[in-house]
């Protein structure tokens, strides 16, 4: 009764928490998904009752086939390239869970030598069930490693499946069972170890080969580089005239969101003290990428065109250094076809990476070097803000730190591959701990002397913090050159 009541409440939470543009809360929420193990617990408890066992035993065959049909229909109908379909949250997940419970309960009561129960009772499937939780755990890092943000490839998918099973088998016999039983690995596990190790070796070799498909050979790369580096054989004056004008080494251009926009006046004063000229193309509520956040995220009416125009206008001044500091690259966005891309999905990251490469090329086309500030952690002020009322954007900053980590890792990858680009961090300057949100009480760089925060809303710097942050930013930009 307890399991049934809690499961029913969990199903309601799943349906109520679902938002089409942001399904992660419902899909990842423990309270919204607890009905699945609870239904298993309920089934296990019911099967201890003799009347229930008798009833299930008499109807084992239709229950098994009905349960299998429900699971198969769920696999076929409830998944989409970018995550579960809406029907998953509106009862579909419940149907699959009930189908799985019915299939397992009925199979446990049916004749194990015949029919579906006999097929499910074969040793390979039983063994797969025994290591299934390990398969579930191991498949994710392997998927991220070998597939990542690439489009679906049946070869890679097959390799990940084989590797997941192999590594799970190794984990089961060499780690889980010895810990669970308190006994060391027995020699009878040698066969399992040998087979799994062989499978891992073959899969790794095949994966290494597939990663080379479509890659230019070193000789091809060298030839391309030599061709690009070679001077114009014609030696014509027109070729010389097409060479870009030199950049203004003492001119900095800052691009970013409202945090950079608020910092720009103080930054301009600090730059002038160093003999530098500061230009600004920062726009509040917008990413540096010329894309549109979704309506639920959007803080201003339009981003893409105003951002691109402001940047293009300032780039005509040929700045020698461009400083990029923005957080809005984490917001749900709209693609060129008008479709909403939810932050964190493979489609979102694929689009962001493509746009990042294009924007880097556009900003550095004139010869400027680009210094990108990794997205910093929000401060404690965002907790106070969200205790009253916070926007979807503020909630994302506070609740989705994995988005920030993924974007920063992407920036570092771009910088490692492109000599025009460098990355720096800033939150170590004003965050006193490693948490997110972090303790950013004033004064910066010294023991906290009160309750004042460097960022009262968790994002924008206070008047007291601006001078220190501006000076530190210029120092770190200069050191990154």
């Amino acid at each position: 009764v307890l399991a049934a009541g809690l499961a029913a409440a969990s199903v309601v939470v799943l349906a109520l928490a679902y938002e089409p543009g942001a399904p992660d809360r419902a899909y990842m929420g423990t309270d919204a998904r607890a009905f699945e193990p609870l239904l298993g617990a309920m089934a296990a408890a019911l099967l201890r009752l003799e009347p229930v066992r008798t009833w299930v035993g008499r109807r084992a065959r239709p229950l098994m086939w009905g349960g299998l049909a429900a699971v198969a229909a769920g696999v076929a109908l409830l998944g989409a390239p970018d995550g579960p379909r809406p029907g998953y949250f509106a009862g579909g997940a419940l149907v699959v869970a009930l189908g799985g419970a019915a299939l397992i309960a009925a199979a446990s009561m049916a004749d194990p030598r015949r029919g579906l129960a006999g097929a499910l009772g074969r040793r390979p499937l039983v063994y797969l069930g025994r290591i299934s939780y390990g398969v579930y755990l191991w498949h994710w890092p392997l998927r991220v490693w070998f597939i990542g943000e690439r489009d679906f490839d049946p070869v890679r998918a097959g390799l990940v499946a084989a590797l997941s099973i192999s590594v799970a088998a190794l984990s089961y016999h060499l780690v889980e069972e010895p810990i669970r039983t308190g006994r060391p690995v027995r020699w009878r596990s040698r066969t399992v170890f040998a087979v799994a190790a062989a499978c891992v070796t073959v899969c790794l070799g095949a994966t290494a080969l597939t990663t080379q498909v479509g890659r230019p050979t070193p000789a091809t790369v060298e030839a391309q580089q030599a061709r690009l580096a070679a001077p114009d054989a014609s030696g014509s004056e027109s070729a010389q005239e097409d060479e870009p004008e030199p950049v203004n080494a003492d001119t900095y251009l800052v691009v970013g969101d409202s945090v950079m926009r608020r910092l720009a006046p103080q930054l301009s004063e600090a730059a002038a003290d160093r003999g530098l000229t500061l230009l600004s193309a920062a726009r509040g509520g917008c990413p540096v990428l010329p894309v549109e956040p979704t309506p639920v995220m959007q803080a201003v009416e339009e981003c893409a065109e105003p951002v691109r125009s402001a940047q293009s206008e300032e780039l005509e001044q040929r700045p020698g250094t461009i400083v990029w500091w923005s957080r809005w690259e984490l917001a749900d966005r709209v693609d060129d076809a008008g479709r909403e891309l939810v932050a964190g999905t493979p489609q979102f990251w694929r689009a962001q990476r493509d746009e990042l490469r294009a924007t880097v090329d556009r900003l550095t086309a004139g010869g400027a070097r680009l210094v990108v500030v990794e997205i910093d952690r929000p401060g404690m002020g965002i907790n106070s803000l969200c205790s009253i009322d916070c926007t979807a954007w503020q909630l994302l900053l506070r609740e989705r730190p994995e988005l920030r980590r993924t974007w920063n890792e992407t920036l570092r990858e771009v910088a490692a591959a492109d000599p025009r680009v460098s990355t720096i961090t800033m939150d170590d300057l004003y965050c006193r701990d490693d948490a997110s949100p972090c303790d950013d009480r004033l004064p910066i760089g010294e023991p906290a002397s009160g309750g004042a925060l460097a960022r009262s809303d968790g994002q924008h710097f206070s008047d007291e913090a601006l001078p220190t942050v501006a000076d530190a930013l210029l120092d770190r930009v200069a050191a990154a050159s």
Side-chain angles (χ1 to χ4, degrees), residues 60-78 91-104 106 116 120:
R61 182 182 176 86
L63 282 174
M64 279 192 296
W65 284 106
L68 182 61
V71 173
V75 172
L77 302 176
L78 296 178
L94 175 62
V95 172
V96 172
L98 289 172
L103 175 60
I104 294 170
L116 183 56
L120 295 175

Side-chain angles (χ1 to χ4, degrees), residues 11-300:
V11 170
V12 173
V13 172
L14 178 69
L16 295 179
Y18 171 64
E19 295 183 14
D24 285 4
R25 166 62 184 89
Y27 188 76
M28 300 292 186
T30 300
D31 52 356
R33 299 290 297 279
F35 67 91
E36 293 164 328
L38 284 168
L39 289 176
M42 183 179 69
L46 288 173
L47 286 177
R48 294 177 63 85
L49 303 176
E50 189 60 34
V52 174
R53 293 173 59 84
T54 301
W55 188 91
V56 172
R58 290 174 179 173
R59 297 164 179 80
R61 182 182 176 86
L63 282 174
M64 279 192 296
W65 284 106
L68 182 61
V71 173
V75 172
L77 302 176
L78 296 178
D82 55 350
R85 299 183 187 276
Y88 176 89
F89 303 93
L94 175 62
V95 172
V96 172
L98 289 172
L103 175 60
I104 294 170
S108 70
M109 301 299 300
D111 186 345
R113 299 165 298 178
R114 301 174 53 191
L116 183 56
L120 295 175
R122 294 185 180 276
R123 292 184 65 181
L125 286 180
V126 171
Y127 182 75
L128 182 61
R130 185 173 294 121
I131 66 170
S132 60
Y133 193 67
V135 174
Y136 164 71
L137 293 178
W138 280 109
H139 94 280
W140 182 249
L142 293 168
R143 180 198 181 283
V144 172
W145 188 10
F146 289 104
I147 297 179
E149 303 300 329
R150 301 180 181 91
D151 293 330
F152 177 78
D153 180 341
V155 175
R156 288 183 180 277
L159 290 172
V160 168
L163 279 170
S164 300
I165 294 172
S166 302
V167 176
L170 290 172
S171 173
Y172 180 81
H173 290 284
L174 301 181
V175 179
E176 298 163 34
E177 277 296 281
I179 292 176
R180 182 182 297 115
T181 62
R183 296 192 297 269
V185 179
R186 294 184 176 181
W187 285 109
R188 64 183 176 84
S189 298
R190 287 182 298 176
T191 302
V192 174
F193 178 84
V195 172
C199 186
V200 169
T201 302
V202 171
C203 291
L204 285 174
T207 301
L209 290 175
T210 60
T211 58
Q212 298 302 318
V213 176
R215 286 188 179 181
T217 63
T220 304
V221 173
E222 291 176 3
Q224 292 174 342
Q225 291 175 341
R227 186 174 65 253
L228 291 174
D232 189 343
S234 66
S236 64
E237 294 182 1
S238 61
Q240 296 176 1
E241 291 173 356
D242 290 339
E243 293 180 2
E245 299 177 8
V247 297
N248 298 314
D250 294 335
T251 300
Y252 281 20
L253 168 62
V254 296
V255 294
D257 54 17
S258 57
V259 173
M260 179 61 94
R261 187 174 183 178
R262 173 169 170 73
L263 183 62
Q266 185 69 48
L267 202 59
S268 182
E269 293 183 14
D273 293 339
R274 303 173 186 224
L276 303 173
T277 300
L278 191 84
L279 309 173
S280 176
R283 179 173 172 81
C286 293
V288 174
L289 306 179
V291 300
E292 296 291 347
T294 59
V296 71
M297 289 284 176
Q298 209 157 26
V300 296

Side-chain angles (χ1 to χ4, degrees), residues 167-430:
V167 176
L170 290 172
S171 173
Y172 180 81
H173 290 284
L174 301 181
V175 179
E176 298 163 34
E177 277 296 281
I179 292 176
R180 182 182 297 115
T181 62
R183 296 192 297 269
V185 179
R186 294 184 176 181
W187 285 109
R188 64 183 176 84
S189 298
R190 287 182 298 176
T191 302
V192 174
F193 178 84
V195 172
C199 186
V200 169
T201 302
V202 171
C203 291
L204 285 174
T207 301
L209 290 175
T210 60
T211 58
Q212 298 302 318
V213 176
R215 286 188 179 181
T217 63
T220 304
V221 173
E222 291 176 3
Q224 292 174 342
Q225 291 175 341
R227 186 174 65 253
L228 291 174
D232 189 343
S234 66
S236 64
E237 294 182 1
S238 61
Q240 296 176 1
E241 291 173 356
D242 290 339
E243 293 180 2
E245 299 177 8
V247 297
N248 298 314
D250 294 335
T251 300
Y252 281 20
L253 168 62
V254 296
V255 294
D257 54 17
S258 57
V259 173
M260 179 61 94
R261 187 174 183 178
R262 173 169 170 73
L263 183 62
Q266 185 69 48
L267 202 59
S268 182
E269 293 183 14
D273 293 339
R274 303 173 186 224
L276 303 173
T277 300
L278 191 84
L279 309 173
S280 176
R283 179 173 172 81
C286 293
V288 174
L289 306 179
V291 300
E292 296 291 347
T294 59
V296 71
M297 289 284 176
Q298 209 157 26
V300 296
E301 185 176 349
E302 187 179 4
C303 279
E305 186 55 36
V307 164
R308 183 186 291 273
S309 297
Q311 293 172 0
S312 298
E313 181 178 350
E314 299 301 340
L315 286 171
E316 293 178 0
Q317 306 298 316
R318 308 198 59 77
T321 301
I322 300 172
V323 184
W324 173 336
W325 196 358
S326 168
R327 297 145 191 81
W328 280 84
E329 281 72 25
L330 307 184
D332 300 350
R333 54 162 289 194
V334 179
D335 67 7
D336 294 336
R339 296 170 299 192
E340 293 189 359
L341 302 178
V342 178
T345 61
Q347 293 75 16
F348 171 85
W349 286 126
R350 190 156 48 242
Q352 292 297 84
R353 288 188 173 96
D354 290 344
E355 197 65 53
L356 172 61
R357 285 190 287 267
T359 302
V360 168
D361 289 341
R362 179 168 53 83
L363 293 177
T364 59
R369 64 188 181 99
L370 177 62
V371 180
V372 187
V373 182
E374 296 182 11
I375 295 180
D376 50 344
R377 290 165 286 157
M380 294 191 301
I382 202 168
N383 289 330
S384 300
L385 190 68
C386 285
S387 66
I388 303 172
D389 182 33
C390 63
T391 65
W393 164 244
Q394 293 160 343
L395 193 63
L396 180 144
L397 282 182
R398 190 182 74 161
E399 303 294 337
R400 302 286 303 280
E402 76 279 2
L403 298 177
R404 170 178 49 80
R405 290 192 291 264
T406 299
W407 177 253
N408 289 343
E409 181 179 345
T410 301
L411 293 177
R412 291 191 289 270
E413 291 173 356
V414 170
D418 193 331
R420 303 168 299 178
V421 184
S422 303
T423 63
I424 61 174
T425 59
M426 286 296 294
D427 55 6
D428 61 298
L429 175 70
Y430 38 84

Side-chain angles (χ1 to χ4, degrees), residues 421-476:
V421 184
S422 303
T423 63
I424 61 174
T425 59
M426 286 296 294
D427 55 6
D428 61 298
L429 175 70
Y430 38 84
C431 284
R432 301 176 181 279
D433 53 25
D434 295 326
S436 180
C438 70
D439 179 356
D440 57 349
R441 289 175 291 169
L442 291 170
I444 292 176
E446 301 176 17
S449 60
L453 302 176
R455 299 168 293 172
S456 60
D457 63 353
Q459 300 179 69
H460 300 85
F461 295 104
S462 65
D463 292 340
E464 294 83 357
L466 285 174
T468 304
V469 173
D471 284 330
L473 178 60
L474 291 176
D475 288 341
R476 296 185 182 194

